[in-house]
Amino acid sequence: MAAILDERSPSLSFQGSIGRRRERVRWNVLIELNGCPMPRYYFNIIAGDGIREDLEGTELPSLEDTRLEAIEDARTLMSDAILLGQDISSRRLEICDEGGDVLLTVLFKDAIKPVA
């Protein structure tokens, strides 16, 4: 069984959720205008044998938008960790639907491009 990661760890905090909230507000306005329900996705952080579950979720129009959001979140979390002298590039985000099924996995290390 996976351990629950400590929410107080700076490298695990969901700093990217601020950006997601802004996007959620924007998309919710579109929902209200179009009257179309959007799926809710959950961005769970996996680190070793621990998991930090996203209990709130985010409504996004497509799985591609969800993938782009996950990449942005991974970059934000890695940036915060680097400023604290930590390397969290071995972590990953699992994007789940409302039923808990994993739809997509984004590796933190894949969210950045190596440069020479």
Side-chain angles (χ1 to χ4, degrees), residues 102-114:
V102 177
L103 304 175
L104 182 67
T105 300
V106 173
L107 303 176
F108 278 36
K109 68 179 182 168
D110 291 344
I112 54 174
K113 296 176 189 173

Side-chain angles (χ1 to χ4, degrees), residues 19-75:
R20 286 208 319 252
R21 284 190 199 111
R22 280 195 304 266
E23 290 298 311
R24 188 178 317 119
V25 168
R26 187 181 75 164
W27 289 117
N28 284 341
V29 168
L30 291 175
I31 291 172
E32 290 175 16
L33 293 175
N34 295 329
C36 301
M38 285 196 299
R40 181 172 295 273
Y41 299 98
Y42 296 84
F43 295 72
N44 299 323
I45 301 173
I46 311 298
D49 65 346
I51 183 169
R52 169 90 193 284
E53 290 186 277
D54 176 6
L55 302 176
E56 186 178 312
T58 302
E59 291 178 344
L60 291 164
S62 71
L63 193 55
E64 177 60 17
D65 290 306
T66 304
R67 185 185 70 79
L68 295 173
E69 186 72 26
I71 289 170
E72 183 180 323
D73 283 349
R75 289 174 178 165

